[in-house]
Amino acid sequence: MHMKIYILLLTCMVVYACGKSSAPMGEDSTDEVPTPEEEAVTFTFDALERVGYFDAGLKFTVVAGHKNIRSRGVVYSTKENPTKSDEMSLAVSTTGSGSFEVGLDKLLEGKTYYVRPFAEKTSGTIFYGDQVTFETVSYPKPTVYLDSLTFLNQQTFETYWKMFYPWGTDHNGSARMYEDQVSLDGAGVLKIRADRTEVWEGYSTADPWLRIFYHSGAIHAKQQILVNDEKPYWVVSGDFQVPTMVGSWPAFWISGAWTWPPEIDIMEFKGNNTNWQNTVTGPNWQNTSWQTTKTVVENAGSWHNYKLIMYKTSATHVAAELYIDGQKKATHTGDFIGKPFWLIINMQMEGASGGHASGPQSTEMQARNIYLAAYDVIP
């Protein structure tokens, strides 16, 4: 009886062992089904929809391998065959599972870019398409008439600037302009000083014909400003430290070279810390229209930048964008096409700034980094 049980157990063990595996000793075995190879993603390039100085838009279509795509877009570089280790931009819009658009920004102007579409599957596999190229638009180069070097020394100053107003030494305040009130510090800074005088010097020869109480200074650029088809876009800017007490009237402005108006005041302080940016239009000095933007400038006695961008908008009119420290404060308009301007820096006194016959004993304004440039096209 015991012998029969032993034989039965031995038989069962042999049957079980043979049924569990038929693989040779030492080889691994598995019941997993092999994963099929992922279908490759392929693309077509559809269009370069836009290209500018610093941006571009492109359109592609996924034509095969649509399944399990979790992201798509492009990689790009100024070097050939970019990958995801270079710059990347994801699709901004998709149509179904096929076409998609991308937008590229912060590009460099006038550069060739290499672009490849890509798609990433949920598995993490990345597929790239064929490379395409485009070139950003080259930013127009300006003709620079004035820069920071024009105040460096007397020789460069005299090359680009003249003393006084274009029409003489007097204007609409109580100051008369003298050469010795204008100086250079040798490091690119111009200084204009106004000093009170009690010596009788008569009256200003300009309206409103105030009694002269000050010796001060004014300069104007030899280069005139003229917006036309040949030079439709102009930039005028400068850094200034100015006084703001009652009786002080510093200004950085352009005035009509043939008639008045036109006029644009880029920087004008009238006895306080409010900057006036004015544009004057009209058929003659008796019939004028003013556009005025006032901005309080904290600590105007420190350096601040004042800028005008003027460009052609029609056969007769311009837009005049006015800035302080890089922030646009206003856009004025004027019928200034074909009308030349003088660029003027001056320290007038009293008049519209108050303090008639009782202004400060002396005061000073400083200027640097005066910039005047024109473009052949509108950027």
Side-chain angles (χ1 to χ4, degrees), residues 100-112:
F100 62 95
E101 298 179 17
V102 290
L104 310 182
D105 58 11
K106 298 180 180 178
L107 305 178
L108 300 174
E109 55 93 14
K111 295 288 185 181
T112 298

Side-chain angles (χ1 to χ4, degrees), residues 20 129 166 181 190 228 235 271 275-277 370 379:
K20 182 179 179 183
Q181 299 299 119
L190 174 93
N228 55 23
V235 179
N275 182 59
W276 294 58
Q277 293 176 310
I370 305 302

Side-chain angles (χ1 to χ4, degrees), residues 76-262:
Y76 60 99
S77 174
T78 55
K79 297 180 180 179
E80 294 192 49
N81 298 314
T83 66
K84 286 190 76 174
S85 61
D86 296 296
E87 298 292 335
M88 179 182 69
S89 180
L90 295 176
V92 294
S93 66
T94 60
T95 302
S97 60
S99 63
F100 62 95
E101 298 179 17
V102 290
L104 310 182
D105 58 11
K106 298 180 180 178
L107 305 178
L108 300 174
E109 55 93 14
K111 295 288 185 181
T112 298
Y113 279 87
Y114 300 91
V115 181
R116 297 168 71 194
F118 79 89
E120 184 173 359
K121 297 279 186 125
T122 53
S123 64
T125 304
I126 300 172
F127 295 91
Y128 294 100
D130 293 336
Q131 176 176 274
V132 297
T133 65
F134 68 88
E135 185 173 336
T136 51
V137 179
S138 293
Y139 202 78
K141 302 299 186 286
T143 300
V144 178
Y145 298 105
L146 300 174
D147 60 22
S148 60
L149 298 179
T150 64
F151 290 160
L152 190 60
N153 54 53
Q154 193 65 29
Q155 181 179 356
T156 57
F157 175 83
E158 292 177 359
T159 299
Y160 298 99
W161 298 89
K162 287 186 175 181
M163 285 291 181
F164 311 135
Y165 298 107
W167 53 86
T169 59
D170 295 0
H171 196 35
N172 52 1
S174 65
R176 179 165 289 148
M177 306 305 157
Y178 289 85
E179 285 193 31
D180 58 6
Q181 299 299 119
V182 179
S183 63
L184 305 172
D185 75 346
V189 175
L190 174 93
K191 298 181 178 182
I192 298 178
R193 183 177 178 86
D195 293 306
R196 188 171 180 82
T197 179
E198 299 301 330
V199 176
W200 171 256
E201 293 194 12
Y203 296 92
S204 170
T205 58
D207 186 13
W209 304 287
L210 299 178
R211 176 184 167 178
I212 297 300
F213 277 109
Y214 286 89
H215 290 186
S216 189
I219 65 172
H220 68 277
K222 293 181 179 180
Q223 174 64 47
Q224 293 184 354
I225 298 166
L226 178 62
V227 181
N228 55 23
D229 289 339
E230 289 72 35
K231 292 286 189 290
Y233 189 98
W234 289 75
V235 179
V236 189
S237 71
D239 300 335
F240 292 88
Q241 290 183 343
V242 298
T244 55
M245 76 278 288
V246 171
S248 62
W249 194 0
F252 176 50
W253 55 302
I254 63 175
S255 183
W258 290 345
T259 61
W260 188 89

Side-chain angles (χ1 to χ4, degrees), residues 30-47:
T30 177
D31 290 333
E32 295 181 3
V33 177
T35 301
E37 196 173 305
E38 286 186 292
E39 182 184 5
V41 181
T42 58
F43 308 83
T44 59
F45 170 60
D46 298 335

